[in-house]
Amino acid sequence: MRSKQIALGPSIASQRWIVGVVVGLLLAGCTGPSGSAGPQAWIDAPQHDSSHPVAPMEIVLHAADPGGVAEVEVSVDGEVLARRPPDDPTAPLVVLKVNWDPLYAGDFVLTARVQNHNGDWGATTSSAVTLVGLPPAEALGSPAVVVPSRTPRSLLPTRAPTPRRAATTAPLPTWTPTPGCIDKAKFVADVNFPDNTQVTPGQPFTKIWRLRNDGTCTWNESYKVVFIGGDSMANTIPLAIPAAVPPGGTVDLAVDMVAPSASGTYRGDFQIRDPQGVHFGVGASGQTPFYVQIVVGQSAPPRPTSPPAPDTQPPSVSVSLSPAGGSIPTGSTITFNANASDNVGVTRIDIWVTAPGQFPVLVKTCNSSTGCSFTGGPYTTQGNLSYFAVAADAAGNETNSGAGSILIYVVIS
C-alpha cells in the first residue's frame, strides 16, 4: 500500500486576507461611477460562442469588489434569471452558480452584473451560446401538450430566435483560471494492471492510469479523481491530482485498492472532478470513464492466437424509445434502446439520460454487445427529457448518437 501525506495550507482567515489584498491590487486601476474601484463580474461557463445540447446547465461566474459583493444579477436574453446576494457578502471575490433549464434550441445571450455595498453596479459582462438538439420555440405549439407553468416564456410559439450579439467582458485578474476553458482527458495507457489481470482474493494493489490533458484548463490539486460506479474495491478517493498538468501534459494517476474476496470479474469506473464539481472523462464525448478491470480467483480470459482484423472505421450508434413519439404524460416509464455496429466489433455502449430539471446521468453501460437497453421512470416532473448514447470499439474510436428529446407533459382532466 502506498502512503500519502497531506500538507495543510494557511487558515481560512489568512486566505481571506490574502484574497482581499490581491483583489484590491488588481482592481486598483479600474474605476466605477464614483471614481473608486468598481464591482466586476466574469462569466466562466458556458463559454462565449459555444454550443450545447438542450439540457439543464449551470451558469458559473466570478464577482469581485474590494469592499465586498452585495448582490449579483444574471439574465438570459434581457430577462432576469436570478438576483441574489452571495453566501458571504463581505468577501472581495465570490463564485456563484445559477441553474438554467432551457427548453428549446436557439441562440441566447447570458449577462451578469454585480453591485457593491455602496449601491454601485459594475459593467455588464455577457456570453453568447447556441443550444442544439430540439426544435425552436415556434415548432413546439401542440394542443395535446400542457405548457409547464414554470417556463411560460420558453415555449411561446411566436418567439423569434435571438440575434447573436458580441460578448463584452470585464478585464480578468491574471491570478484566476482562464474563463471558459475546457476540461477533457485522453487515455494514454494502463501503466500496470491492464484489463483482466488476475489477482488473488483480498489482494491489495495500486492501479495506475496515464492520462493526457487534452483540454485548455491546467489541472491542479483542486481537481480530484472520483469513483462513479461499478465495483469500488475499497479505493481511497476522492484523490487530488498529484501535480499541475498543463494542456498537452500527461500525468500518472495512482489509486490504492483491495481486490474483493469472492471470485469473479470486477470493474470500477472513474472520472475527474473539476473545482466547480463538474465531472469529465476521456473519449470523443469527454464523458467516458477510465476504469480498472481485474479477475479474482480464476484464470484470465485467453488471449487471441491470431491478430485481430484491422479497425477501419468508427462505430455507428442510434437510440430509439418505447413508447415511441415526441411526448408522454407524467408518471410514465421510458425504455431507451441503443443499437451499435462496427466493422470489427463494439466493445462498449453507454446510455446517458437527462431528466427534467436534472443533470446528465450515465444510466447504463453494456460491454461487448451491439445492443443496450435501459428502462427509466416513472418520470413525474414535467419538462424536456434528453438522451444520447456513445459506442466504442477496440481501437478506441467513439461515436455519439446525438441528443434526442421527449417532452413530459401533464394531462388536465
Side-chain angles (χ1 to χ4, degrees), residues 108-134:
F108 298 84
V109 175
L110 315 180
T111 58
R113 60 175 187 158
V114 59
Q115 184 184 50
N116 61 21
H117 292 286
N118 293 328
D120 298 324
W121 286 96
T124 298
T125 184
S126 65
S127 177
V129 298
T130 299
L131 301 185
V132 297
L134 289 176

Side-chain angles (χ1 to χ4, degrees), residues 4 116 191 246 253 259 274 282 295 302 310 388 391:
K4 300 178 177 62
N116 61 21
V191 178
L253 304 178
D274 72 10
V282 299
V295 179
F388 66 91

Side-chain angles (χ1 to χ4, degrees), residues 14 168 188 194 220 306 339 364:
S14 298
T168 59
V188 177
N220 54 35
S306 59
N339 293 286
K364 186 69 175 288

Side-chain angles (χ1 to χ4, degrees), residues 45-409:
Q47 72 179 107
H48 173 59
D49 207 25
S50 60
S51 296
H52 306 270
V54 178
M57 67 176 67
E58 280 188 336
I59 302 173
V60 182
L61 61 104
H62 281 76
D65 188 87
V69 174
E71 193 168 58
V72 175
E73 181 184 273
V74 178
S75 301
V76 177
D77 284 351
E79 294 188 15
V80 176
L81 178 66
R83 186 173 181 179
R84 65 171 185 261
D87 293 336
D88 183 1
T90 65
L93 176 69
V94 296
V95 178
L96 288 96
K97 300 178 181 180
V98 176
N99 293 327
W100 179 34
D101 186 8
L103 295 182
Y104 58 87
D107 291 338
F108 298 84
V109 175
L110 315 180
T111 58
R113 60 175 187 158
V114 59
Q115 184 184 50
N116 61 21
H117 292 286
N118 293 328
D120 298 324
W121 286 96
T124 298
T125 184
S126 65
S127 177
V129 298
T130 299
L131 301 185
V132 297
L134 289 176
E138 300 94 296
L140 292 179
S142 172
V145 177
V146 175
V147 178
S149 60
R150 63 184 176 87
T151 53
R153 178 184 67 85
S154 58
L155 293 180
L156 286 175
T158 57
R159 195 262 191 193
T162 303
R164 177 61 61 85
R165 296 192 289 269
T168 59
T169 56
L172 293 175
T174 58
W175 47 272
T176 58
T178 303
C181 63
I182 299 171
D183 279 317
K184 186 177 181 182
K186 179 178 177 60
F187 173 79
V188 177
D190 289 309
V191 178
N192 62 359
F193 291 91
D195 292 354
N196 299 316
T197 298
Q198 186 176 0
V199 299
T200 59
Q203 174 185 335
F205 66 100
T206 300
K207 170 66 182 183
I208 304 176
W209 301 274
R210 181 165 296 155
L211 302 185
R212 187 176 72 205
N213 184 348
D214 267 15
T216 58
C217 303
T218 296
W219 303 343
N220 54 35
E221 67 278 359
S222 297
Y223 286 73
K224 312 290 184 183
V225 180
V226 293
F227 172 75
I228 65 166
D231 305 299
S232 68
M233 289 177 272
N235 63 78
T236 56
I237 60 170
L239 189 68
I241 297 292
V245 186
T250 60
V251 63
D252 287 355
L253 304 178
V255 177
D256 293 335
M257 303 185 188
V258 179
S261 58
S263 297
T265 300
Y266 298 88
R267 167 174 164 157
D269 293 333
F270 298 79
Q271 287 185 329
I272 299 175
R273 185 179 68 204
D274 72 10
Q276 285 73 45
V278 178
H279 292 193
F280 64 94
V282 299
S285 66
Q287 293 296 325
T288 302
F290 48 96
Y291 63 90
V292 57
Q293 183 167 301
I294 59 172
V295 179
V296 178
Q298 62 187 37
S299 298
R303 296 183 179 274
T305 57
S306 59
D311 194 336
T312 59
Q313 65 184 38
S316 61
V317 60
S318 61
V319 185
S320 61
L321 301 183
S322 180
S327 61
I328 60 171
T330 54
S332 301
T333 60
I334 305 174
T335 299
F336 304 87
N337 299 301
N339 293 286
S341 62
D342 186 71
N343 67 308
V344 174
V346 178
T347 58
R348 190 190 76 255
I349 299 176
D350 293 332
I351 298 177
W352 292 79
V353 175
T354 306
Q358 303 297 317
F359 291 100
V361 175
L362 176 61
V363 296
K364 186 69 175 288
T365 294
C366 299
N367 296 307
S368 301
S369 174
T370 59
C372 192
S373 295
F374 170 78
T375 299
Y379 295 103
T380 58
T381 303
Q382 60 185 0
N384 281 285
L385 178 147
S386 61
Y387 56 90
F388 66 91
V390 176
D393 60 20
N397 299 314
E398 290 190 350
T399 301
N400 191 310
S401 67
S405 67
I406 185 169
L407 183 64
I408 300 174
Y409 63 90

